Amino acid sequence: MVRVRHRLGNREELLGADRHREGEGGARRHVGDVLMTPPDQSRTTDIVPGPGGVMTDEVGVVTGDLTLRTAISGGDVVLSVQYKDADEWYAVTGGKAPVTDPAALDAVHTIAVGLLNRPEG
């Protein structure tokens, strides 16, 4: 057994090897097609939206200098924005769609930037 923490928190227990001679139990059913992508699979671009700004789920319309992030989360591509150099990200309203191929990330991000970046108004 290897300790990775000095103390345990609420409802945490030490884990050890099962040492079951017949091996570990298997899955009861197939999980199907699960999109496996690295957690850092995202693209970001600084944008300036047009006069209407960008509508977000959390705070409504955001305007001014923003950063747009396009990321794959689970089986979806998700758009979010933040005020440039801020910490908080906001989900773009309607900015979520199923994706079956992680390679589509670049194309989706390019389209999103093309639609939302309107520095001239």
Side-chain angles (χ1 to χ4, degrees), residues 2-44:
V2 176
R3 279 192 192 271
V4 290
R5 293 180 60 182
H6 295 287
R7 295 177 25 202
L8 298 175
N10 293 338
R11 296 187 290 174
E12 294 178 328
E13 298 178 20
L14 288 176
L15 297 177
D18 187 10
R19 301 196 199 288
H20 191 267
R21 291 192 184 268
E22 283 91 37
E24 299 294 326
R28 292 197 170 97
R29 62 187 181 97
H30 191 276
V31 297
D33 295 326
V34 176
L35 186 62
M36 302 297 286
T37 59
D40 63 342
Q41 189 153 3
S42 66
R43 304 291 181 268
T44 58

Short mmCIF file of all heavy atoms in Angstrom, two decimals, residues 2-44:
data_model
loop_
_atom_site.label_atom_id
_atom_site.label_comp_id
_atom_site.label_asym_id
_atom_site.label_seq_id
_atom_site.Cartn_x
_atom_site.Cartn_y
_atom_site.Cartn_z
N VAL A 2 0.52 2.22 -0.79
CA VAL A 2 1.29 3.44 -0.91
C VAL A 2 0.43 4.61 -0.45
O VAL A 2 -0.68 4.80 -0.92
CB VAL A 2 1.73 3.68 -2.37
CG1 VAL A 2 2.46 4.99 -2.51
CG2 VAL A 2 2.57 2.52 -2.87
N ARG A 3 0.95 5.38 0.49
CA ARG A 3 0.24 6.58 0.93
C ARG A 3 0.56 7.73 -0.01
O ARG A 3 1.71 7.99 -0.31
CB ARG A 3 0.66 6.98 2.33
CG ARG A 3 0.00 6.21 3.41
CD ARG A 3 0.28 6.88 4.75
NE ARG A 3 -0.11 5.99 5.80
CZ ARG A 3 -1.33 5.95 6.32
NH1 ARG A 3 -2.25 6.76 5.89
NH2 ARG A 3 -1.63 5.10 7.27
N VAL A 4 -0.49 8.41 -0.46
CA VAL A 4 -0.28 9.58 -1.31
C VAL A 4 -0.64 10.86 -0.58
O VAL A 4 -0.36 11.94 -1.06
CB VAL A 4 -1.07 9.47 -2.63
CG1 VAL A 4 -0.48 8.39 -3.51
CG2 VAL A 4 -2.53 9.21 -2.38
N ARG A 5 -1.30 10.73 0.57
CA ARG A 5 -1.64 11.88 1.41
C ARG A 5 -1.36 11.54 2.86
O ARG A 5 -1.49 10.41 3.28
CB ARG A 5 -3.14 12.20 1.27
CG ARG A 5 -3.52 12.71 -0.10
CD ARG A 5 -4.98 13.01 -0.19
NE ARG A 5 -5.35 14.03 0.78
CZ ARG A 5 -6.58 14.47 0.94
NH1 ARG A 5 -7.54 13.99 0.22
NH2 ARG A 5 -6.85 15.40 1.82
N HIS A 6 -1.00 12.55 3.62
CA HIS A 6 -0.73 12.32 5.03
C HIS A 6 -2.01 12.09 5.82
O HIS A 6 -2.06 11.27 6.72
CB HIS A 6 0.04 13.51 5.64
CG HIS A 6 1.39 13.67 5.04
ND1 HIS A 6 2.42 12.82 5.31
CD2 HIS A 6 1.88 14.57 4.15
CE1 HIS A 6 3.50 13.19 4.65
NE2 HIS A 6 3.20 14.26 3.93
N ARG A 7 -3.06 12.83 5.49
CA ARG A 7 -4.33 12.71 6.20
C ARG A 7 -5.44 12.51 5.19
O ARG A 7 -5.35 12.93 4.04
CB ARG A 7 -4.61 13.99 6.98
CG ARG A 7 -3.60 14.23 8.08
CD ARG A 7 -3.83 15.52 8.83
NE ARG A 7 -5.20 15.98 8.79
CZ ARG A 7 -5.56 17.25 8.99
NH1 ARG A 7 -4.64 18.14 9.23
NH2 ARG A 7 -6.81 17.60 8.97
N LEU A 8 -6.51 11.91 5.64
CA LEU A 8 -7.68 11.71 4.80
C LEU A 8 -8.77 12.67 5.20
O LEU A 8 -8.89 13.04 6.37
CB LEU A 8 -8.19 10.27 4.91
CG LEU A 8 -7.21 9.19 4.44
CD1 LEU A 8 -7.78 7.81 4.70
CD2 LEU A 8 -6.88 9.36 2.98
N GLY A 9 -9.61 13.08 4.25
CA GLY A 9 -10.73 13.97 4.54
C GLY A 9 -11.98 13.18 4.85
O GLY A 9 -11.95 11.96 5.07
N ASN A 10 -13.11 13.87 4.87
CA ASN A 10 -14.39 13.24 5.16
C ASN A 10 -14.70 12.14 4.16
O ASN A 10 -14.56 12.30 2.97
CB ASN A 10 -15.52 14.27 5.10
CG ASN A 10 -15.38 15.28 6.22
OD1 ASN A 10 -14.74 15.02 7.23
ND2 ASN A 10 -15.96 16.45 6.03
N ARG A 11 -15.14 11.03 4.65
CA ARG A 11 -15.57 9.88 3.85
C ARG A 11 -14.52 9.37 2.88
O ARG A 11 -14.83 8.82 1.85
CB ARG A 11 -16.87 10.21 3.10
CG ARG A 11 -18.02 10.47 4.05
CD ARG A 11 -19.30 10.63 3.32
NE ARG A 11 -19.29 11.89 2.59
CZ ARG A 11 -20.23 12.27 1.76
NH1 ARG A 11 -21.25 11.50 1.53
NH2 ARG A 11 -20.16 13.42 1.13
N GLU A 12 -13.24 9.54 3.20
CA GLU A 12 -12.16 9.00 2.39
C GLU A 12 -11.53 7.82 3.11
O GLU A 12 -11.48 7.80 4.35
CB GLU A 12 -11.10 10.05 2.11
CG GLU A 12 -11.59 11.20 1.25
CD GLU A 12 -10.53 12.25 1.03
OE1 GLU A 12 -9.68 12.46 1.91
OE2 GLU A 12 -10.55 12.87 -0.03
N GLU A 13 -11.08 6.82 2.36
CA GLU A 13 -10.46 5.64 2.94
C GLU A 13 -9.19 5.31 2.18
O GLU A 13 -9.03 5.69 1.03
CB GLU A 13 -11.41 4.44 2.84
CG GLU A 13 -12.71 4.61 3.58
CD GLU A 13 -13.62 3.41 3.39
OE1 GLU A 13 -13.11 2.33 3.01
OE2 GLU A 13 -14.81 3.54 3.59
N LEU A 14 -8.29 4.58 2.83
CA LEU A 14 -7.10 4.09 2.15
C LEU A 14 -7.51 2.99 1.17
O LEU A 14 -8.39 2.19 1.46
CB LEU A 14 -6.10 3.52 3.15
CG LEU A 14 -5.38 4.53 4.03
CD1 LEU A 14 -4.49 3.80 5.03
CD2 LEU A 14 -4.52 5.45 3.17
N LEU A 15 -6.86 2.97 0.02
CA LEU A 15 -7.11 1.93 -0.96
C LEU A 15 -5.92 0.99 -0.99
O LEU A 15 -4.78 1.39 -0.84
CB LEU A 15 -7.31 2.53 -2.35
CG LEU A 15 -8.51 3.44 -2.53
CD1 LEU A 15 -8.51 4.02 -3.94
CD2 LEU A 15 -9.79 2.68 -2.27
N GLY A 16 -6.20 -0.28 -1.19
CA GLY A 16 -5.14 -1.27 -1.30
C GLY A 16 -5.45 -2.24 -2.41
O GLY A 16 -6.55 -2.23 -2.97
N ALA A 17 -4.50 -3.11 -2.71
CA ALA A 17 -4.70 -4.11 -3.75
C ALA A 17 -5.74 -5.12 -3.27
O ALA A 17 -5.77 -5.52 -2.11
CB ALA A 17 -3.38 -4.81 -4.05
N ASP A 18 -6.59 -5.56 -4.18
CA ASP A 18 -7.65 -6.53 -3.85
C ASP A 18 -7.07 -7.91 -3.66
O ASP A 18 -7.52 -8.67 -2.81
CB ASP A 18 -8.69 -6.52 -4.97
CG ASP A 18 -9.91 -7.35 -4.64
OD1 ASP A 18 -10.05 -7.79 -3.49
OD2 ASP A 18 -10.73 -7.56 -5.54
N ARG A 19 -6.08 -8.28 -4.42
CA ARG A 19 -5.42 -9.58 -4.38
C ARG A 19 -6.41 -10.74 -4.56
O ARG A 19 -6.29 -11.78 -3.98
CB ARG A 19 -4.63 -9.76 -3.09
CG ARG A 19 -3.57 -8.71 -2.90
CD ARG A 19 -2.58 -9.14 -1.83
NE ARG A 19 -1.82 -8.04 -1.31
CZ ARG A 19 -0.86 -7.39 -1.95
NH1 ARG A 19 -0.57 -7.70 -3.17
NH2 ARG A 19 -0.20 -6.42 -1.37
N HIS A 20 -7.39 -10.55 -5.40
CA HIS A 20 -8.38 -11.57 -5.70
C HIS A 20 -7.79 -12.49 -6.75
O HIS A 20 -7.44 -12.07 -7.83
CB HIS A 20 -9.67 -10.89 -6.21
CG HIS A 20 -10.82 -11.82 -6.30
ND1 HIS A 20 -11.12 -12.49 -7.45
CD2 HIS A 20 -11.75 -12.20 -5.37
CE1 HIS A 20 -12.19 -13.24 -7.24
NE2 HIS A 20 -12.58 -13.08 -6.00
N ARG A 21 -7.68 -13.79 -6.45
CA ARG A 21 -6.99 -14.72 -7.34
C ARG A 21 -7.65 -14.87 -8.70
O ARG A 21 -7.00 -15.14 -9.69
CB ARG A 21 -6.86 -16.08 -6.67
CG ARG A 21 -5.91 -16.05 -5.50
CD ARG A 21 -5.59 -17.47 -5.06
NE ARG A 21 -4.76 -17.44 -3.89
CZ ARG A 21 -3.44 -17.45 -3.92
NH1 ARG A 21 -2.83 -17.49 -5.07
NH2 ARG A 21 -2.75 -17.43 -2.81
N GLU A 22 -8.95 -14.73 -8.79
CA GLU A 22 -9.63 -14.89 -10.09
C GLU A 22 -9.54 -13.62 -10.93
O GLU A 22 -10.04 -13.58 -12.04
CB GLU A 22 -11.11 -15.25 -9.88
CG GLU A 22 -11.30 -16.71 -9.51
CD GLU A 22 -11.28 -16.89 -7.99
OE1 GLU A 22 -11.81 -16.02 -7.28
OE2 GLU A 22 -10.75 -17.90 -7.54
N GLY A 23 -8.99 -12.56 -10.44
CA GLY A 23 -8.87 -11.32 -11.20
C GLY A 23 -9.98 -10.34 -10.84
O GLY A 23 -10.88 -10.64 -10.05
N GLU A 24 -9.90 -9.19 -11.42
CA GLU A 24 -10.88 -8.14 -11.16
C GLU A 24 -12.17 -8.44 -11.92
O GLU A 24 -12.17 -9.11 -12.94
CB GLU A 24 -10.34 -6.79 -11.60
CG GLU A 24 -9.09 -6.36 -10.87
CD GLU A 24 -9.33 -6.10 -9.40
OE1 GLU A 24 -10.42 -5.64 -9.05
OE2 GLU A 24 -8.42 -6.37 -8.61
N GLY A 25 -13.27 -7.92 -11.40
CA GLY A 25 -14.55 -8.08 -12.08
C GLY A 25 -14.58 -7.26 -13.36
O GLY A 25 -13.94 -6.23 -13.46
N GLY A 26 -15.30 -7.72 -14.34
CA GLY A 26 -15.38 -7.02 -15.61
C GLY A 26 -16.63 -6.15 -15.69
O GLY A 26 -17.51 -6.21 -14.83
N ALA A 27 -16.70 -5.38 -16.74
CA ALA A 27 -17.87 -4.54 -16.96
C ALA A 27 -19.06 -5.43 -17.31
O ALA A 27 -18.92 -6.45 -17.98
CB ALA A 27 -17.61 -3.55 -18.08
N ARG A 28 -20.24 -5.04 -16.89
CA ARG A 28 -21.44 -5.84 -17.16
C ARG A 28 -21.99 -5.60 -18.56
O ARG A 28 -22.74 -6.39 -19.08
CB ARG A 28 -22.49 -5.53 -16.11
CG ARG A 28 -22.07 -6.04 -14.75
CD ARG A 28 -23.27 -6.13 -13.81
NE ARG A 28 -22.88 -6.83 -12.61
CZ ARG A 28 -22.51 -6.25 -11.49
NH1 ARG A 28 -22.47 -4.94 -11.41
NH2 ARG A 28 -22.17 -6.95 -10.44
N ARG A 29 -21.65 -4.44 -19.15
CA ARG A 29 -22.10 -4.16 -20.50
C ARG A 29 -21.10 -3.24 -21.19
O ARG A 29 -20.28 -2.61 -20.55
CB ARG A 29 -23.49 -3.52 -20.51
CG ARG A 29 -23.58 -2.19 -19.81
CD ARG A 29 -25.04 -1.73 -19.71
NE ARG A 29 -25.10 -0.46 -19.06
CZ ARG A 29 -25.17 0.70 -19.68
NH1 ARG A 29 -25.22 0.75 -20.98
NH2 ARG A 29 -25.21 1.84 -19.02
N HIS A 30 -21.20 -3.17 -22.51
CA HIS A 30 -20.30 -2.35 -23.31
C HIS A 30 -20.71 -0.88 -23.17
O HIS A 30 -21.90 -0.56 -23.17
CB HIS A 30 -20.39 -2.79 -24.78
CG HIS A 30 -19.32 -2.19 -25.63
ND1 HIS A 30 -19.44 -0.95 -26.17
CD2 HIS A 30 -18.11 -2.67 -26.01
CE1 HIS A 30 -18.35 -0.67 -26.87
NE2 HIS A 30 -17.54 -1.70 -26.78
N VAL A 31 -19.74 0.02 -23.06
CA VAL A 31 -20.06 1.43 -22.87
C VAL A 31 -20.45 2.12 -24.16
O VAL A 31 -20.93 3.25 -24.15
CB VAL A 31 -18.89 2.21 -22.22
CG1 VAL A 31 -18.61 1.67 -20.85
CG2 VAL A 31 -17.65 2.17 -23.09
N GLY A 32 -20.25 1.47 -25.29
CA GLY A 32 -20.58 2.11 -26.56
C GLY A 32 -19.45 2.98 -27.04
O GLY A 32 -18.30 2.81 -26.66
N ASP A 33 -19.77 3.93 -27.88
CA ASP A 33 -18.76 4.82 -28.43
C ASP A 33 -18.56 6.00 -27.50
O ASP A 33 -19.41 6.88 -27.40
CB ASP A 33 -19.18 5.33 -29.81
CG ASP A 33 -19.24 4.20 -30.82
OD1 ASP A 33 -18.41 3.28 -30.72
OD2 ASP A 33 -20.12 4.25 -31.70
N VAL A 34 -17.45 6.01 -26.79
CA VAL A 34 -17.12 7.09 -25.88
C VAL A 34 -16.00 7.90 -26.51
O VAL A 34 -14.96 7.35 -26.87
CB VAL A 34 -16.68 6.55 -24.50
CG1 VAL A 34 -16.25 7.69 -23.59
CG2 VAL A 34 -17.80 5.76 -23.86
N LEU A 35 -16.22 9.19 -26.65
CA LEU A 35 -15.23 10.07 -27.24
C LEU A 35 -14.13 10.31 -26.21
O LEU A 35 -14.37 10.89 -25.15
CB LEU A 35 -15.88 11.39 -27.65
CG LEU A 35 -15.02 12.38 -28.38
CD1 LEU A 35 -14.56 11.78 -29.72
CD2 LEU A 35 -15.81 13.65 -28.65
N MET A 36 -12.94 9.82 -26.47
CA MET A 36 -11.82 9.96 -25.55
C MET A 36 -10.93 11.09 -26.04
O MET A 36 -10.31 10.99 -27.09
CB MET A 36 -11.02 8.66 -25.47
CG MET A 36 -11.84 7.47 -25.03
SD MET A 36 -12.51 7.65 -23.38
CE MET A 36 -11.07 7.39 -22.40
N THR A 37 -10.90 12.18 -25.30
CA THR A 37 -10.08 13.32 -25.69
C THR A 37 -9.29 13.81 -24.49
O THR A 37 -9.75 13.70 -23.35
CB THR A 37 -10.95 14.49 -26.20
OG1 THR A 37 -11.85 14.87 -25.19
CG2 THR A 37 -11.71 14.09 -27.45
N PRO A 38 -8.13 14.36 -24.71
CA PRO A 38 -7.38 14.92 -23.60
C PRO A 38 -8.13 16.10 -22.99
O PRO A 38 -8.84 16.82 -23.71
CB PRO A 38 -6.07 15.40 -24.23
CG PRO A 38 -6.08 14.96 -25.65
CD PRO A 38 -7.44 14.47 -25.98
N PRO A 39 -8.03 16.30 -21.68
CA PRO A 39 -8.78 17.38 -21.03
C PRO A 39 -8.40 18.77 -21.51
O PRO A 39 -9.18 19.69 -21.39
CB PRO A 39 -8.47 17.21 -19.55
CG PRO A 39 -7.24 16.38 -19.49
CD PRO A 39 -7.21 15.56 -20.75
N ASP A 40 -7.23 18.91 -22.09
CA ASP A 40 -6.79 20.24 -22.54
C ASP A 40 -7.09 20.49 -24.01
O ASP A 40 -6.52 21.38 -24.62
CB ASP A 40 -5.30 20.43 -22.26
CG ASP A 40 -4.44 19.46 -23.04
OD1 ASP A 40 -4.97 18.44 -23.53
OD2 ASP A 40 -3.23 19.71 -23.14
N GLN A 41 -7.99 19.70 -24.59
CA GLN A 41 -8.28 19.87 -26.01
C GLN A 41 -9.23 21.05 -26.19
O GLN A 41 -10.45 20.92 -26.14
CB GLN A 41 -8.87 18.61 -26.62
CG GLN A 41 -8.97 18.71 -28.11
CD GLN A 41 -8.92 17.37 -28.79
OE1 GLN A 41 -8.88 16.36 -28.15
NE2 GLN A 41 -8.95 17.38 -30.11
N SER A 42 -8.63 22.22 -26.40
CA SER A 42 -9.41 23.44 -26.59
C SER A 42 -8.60 24.43 -27.42
O SER A 42 -7.39 24.28 -27.56
CB SER A 42 -9.79 24.06 -25.24
OG SER A 42 -8.64 24.50 -24.56
N ARG A 43 -9.29 25.41 -27.94
CA ARG A 43 -8.65 26.49 -28.69
C ARG A 43 -9.16 27.81 -28.12
O ARG A 43 -10.33 27.91 -27.75
CB ARG A 43 -9.01 26.42 -30.19
CG ARG A 43 -8.68 25.11 -30.87
CD ARG A 43 -7.17 24.89 -30.99
NE ARG A 43 -6.87 23.64 -31.67
CZ ARG A 43 -6.68 22.48 -31.07
NH1 ARG A 43 -6.77 22.38 -29.76
NH2 ARG A 43 -6.38 21.40 -31.76
N THR A 44 -8.30 28.81 -28.07
CA THR A 44 -8.71 30.14 -27.59
C THR A 44 -8.24 31.20 -28.57
O THR A 44 -7.18 31.05 -29.19
CB THR A 44 -8.15 30.46 -26.20
OG1 THR A 44 -6.74 30.39 -26.24
CG2 THR A 44 -8.69 29.52 -25.13
#
